[in-house]
Amino acid sequence: LQTKNYRQSAV
Amino acid sequence: DQGDLPLERRVLLRRSPNGFGFNIVGGDGDEGIYISFIQTGGVADKSGELRKGDRILSVNNIDFRGVTHEDAATVLKNCGDTAELHVIYKYDDFIRFENR
């Protein structure tokens, strides 16, 4: 399971 | 289409009330910050010079190579009216985010 979440931010 | 964009570019964006109109991913360790989404009709889209998969190397000469996600978003939200982005197209690096 990919524990590394990836965050996405709107700028 | 944007096929003819040079790999490495310096792009000047003028902030709109909705910001610059793109999303970023990355910033975990020194993996880098990538453009993951470009809002249609937003500033980035209208510039025609940015694309999904671009890695942001600096913003207004602030080095983005080892920056955290948090700091990158903060800089882009608080960098004033204009942002000069130094980017390089690295779709093959970006794609790992899409596959997560």
Side-chain angles (χ1 to χ4, degrees):
Chain A
L1 180 70
Q2 284 275 7
T3 52
K4 221 163 127 174
N5 66 333
Y6 78 92
R7 292 186 45 207
Q8 188 157 195
S9 297
V11 293
Chain B
D1 91 305
Q2 290 168 349
D4 54 358
L5 278 179
L7 279 182
E8 193 164 342
R9 280 149 279 140
R10 283 185 181 281
V11 179
L12 192 66
L13 299 180
R14 185 166 300 287
R15 186 190 298 281
S16 82
N18 309 326
F20 293 117
F22 66 90
N23 290 5
I24 56 169
V25 289
D28 197 353
D30 58 0
E31 65 189 356
I33 300 291
Y34 296 82
I35 294 180
S36 57
F37 173 73
I38 293 185
Q39 208 138 12
T40 307
V43 170
D45 181 31
K46 284 186 192 147
S47 79
E49 294 179 70
L50 292 173
R51 55 193 309 187
K52 176 172 159 179
D54 275 344
R55 178 172 179 178
I56 302 177
L57 300 176
S58 71
V59 173
N60 295 342
N61 291 321
I62 300 169
D63 190 352
F64 261 36
R65 278 169 301 183
V67 76
T68 64
H69 187 95
E70 206 70 38
D71 290 347
T74 304
V75 167
L76 282 160
K77 287 178 180 164
N78 299 297
C79 65
D81 275 351
T82 56
E84 193 210 1
L85 302 178
H86 180 201
V87 299
I88 185 162
Y89 184 59
K90 287 272 183 193
Y91 195 81
D92 45 358
D93 287 349
F94 163 72
I95 201 68
R96 67 167 178 254
F97 292 99
E98 290 246 310
N99 301 333
R100 261 185 209 167

